[in-house]
Amino acid sequence: MKRFYLSSGAAVAALVLSSLSTANASTISIVRHNDAEVEMVGGIRDDTSTYGSDLAGARIYAHYADGTSEEIIWESHARTFVEPNGETWSTTEGGASGTDIDLSMTWDGFVVTTRNVLSYITIDLLNAGVVFDTTTTFDYDWMGNPTNGSTLGSSFGYGFEYYDEYEPLPGHTTASYYGVVNEVGEEAVGDLYTTMTVDFSGMENNGIFGDVAFRSDLDALSITDGLSQVPLPSSLSLLLLGLGGLGLRQRHLNRAKARA
């Protein structure tokens, strides 16, 4: 399903998508944050398909409507299947399990089972060697020329969406992408990201409960540890440090006034 994107400045791109039914309305907003860059070495794997085992090491942060939260790590595991004729074959899949949440992968997305109302979830792929590919633009046109609208080797992707059987869900969902990815020596195109946070707090009951399936295109890297965060420029680091100091000084002044 194609999504139509609206650009608002170099730092953030947003999409608002609406699905209407006779009973309720479901909306999805997609926001891209381009202020924290991540460098990629080696490019995208020739087979851009991503499997459950590729996500090994990914960090999952789940936050619930009752104020509790938990962090879990995605792990790969082998499964053996037995055919009716007795022959066996194995595959390596993956998933993550916590106290109130379980995640697994279908062929192109995630299946989430919650035992507590989930308000938002963050999937951080920085340590997994996988990236979210969020735009529908192809990397090359039909003549084989770069389109400059998609990172070379990534083909095309798509942003967050529910599986058809879960859409439309009543309420609003916001999917935010962080950690924009650039190839070493190149500027970030703005299609690849390491982290996705999905905010379900705009849904009925301030979150989701039970089984929900959604997808956001994934591309596996040719080198598993091919991602590294780009340090902030020294000038920007000093600016942020100075702003932090001003904020601390202001809090001290406010406390002093309150005591007086």
Side-chain angles (χ1 to χ4, degrees):
M1 181 184 297
K2 290 194 179 294
R3 303 304 195 202
F4 297 90
Y5 294 89
L6 302 175
S7 177
S8 58
V12 178
L15 157 77
V16 177
L17 169 70
S18 298
S19 298
L20 300 178
S21 73
T22 56
N24 51 43
S26 174
T27 58
I28 298 173
S29 296
I30 294 179
V31 182
R32 298 181 183 85
H33 298 266
N34 296 338
D35 49 352
E37 291 192 13
V38 175
E39 281 192 336
M40 172 176 60
V41 177
I44 304 296
R45 193 167 65 192
D46 289 340
D47 173 15
T48 61
S49 299
T50 303
Y51 307 94
S53 57
D54 292 320
L55 271 66
R59 295 182 178 274
I60 316 296
Y61 304 90
H63 298 263
Y64 303 101
D66 63 4
T68 61
S69 62
E70 58 182 318
E71 175 186 349
I72 53 180
I73 305 297
W74 191 283
E75 298 178 348
S76 63
H77 54 264
R79 292 186 63 184
T80 301
F81 298 87
V82 181
E83 301 289 350
N85 61 5
E87 293 183 358
T88 62
W89 57 280
S90 299
T91 183
T92 303
E93 298 180 352
S97 294
T99 303
D100 288 321
I101 191 170
D102 297 316
L103 285 87
S104 59
M105 274 192 70
T106 64
W107 70 277
D108 70 340
F110 297 92
V111 177
V112 180
T113 300
T114 69
R115 294 171 287 276
N116 195 352
V117 177
L118 180 67
S119 289
Y120 64 95
I121 185 171
T122 295
I123 302 175
D124 182 354
L125 304 176
L126 181 63
N127 296 327
V130 177
V131 294
F132 292 102
D133 187 355
T134 67
T135 63
T136 58
T137 305
F138 280 89
D139 50 353
Y140 293 95
D141 63 21
W142 65 278
M143 296 184 65
N145 300 313
T147 64
N148 299 319
S150 184
T151 302
L152 297 183
S154 67
S155 187
F156 71 99
Y158 50 85
F160 175 92
E161 60 187 24
Y162 289 105
Y163 279 83
D164 291 341
E165 57 266 37
Y166 294 97
E167 188 177 12
L169 289 170
H172 184 76
T173 306
T174 300
S176 299
Y177 294 92
Y178 302 87
V180 62
V181 176
N182 68 284
E183 291 194 86
V184 173
E186 302 289 341
E187 292 186 1
V189 175
D191 57 334
L192 305 182
Y193 295 83
T194 63
T195 305
M196 176 179 71
T197 294
V198 184
D199 184 350
F200 302 107
S201 64
M203 312 295 287
E204 288 185 352
N205 303 315
N206 298 317
I208 59 173
F209 181 84
D211 297 326
V212 174
F214 56 81
R215 55 190 165 209
S216 181
D217 190 42
L218 298 167
D219 289 343
L221 306 188
S222 59
I223 302 175
T224 303
D225 58 351
L227 294 173
S228 60
Q229 291 180 316
V230 178
L232 290 173
S234 58
S235 58
L236 180 56
S237 297
L238 290 173
L239 174 61
L240 294 176
L241 183 61
L243 291 174
L246 288 174
L248 182 61
R249 181 174 181 273
Q250 186 62 45
R251 284 196 294 271
H252 284 307
L253 289 174
N254 291 340
R255 289 174 183 171
K257 290 180 180 177
R259 286 196 297 267

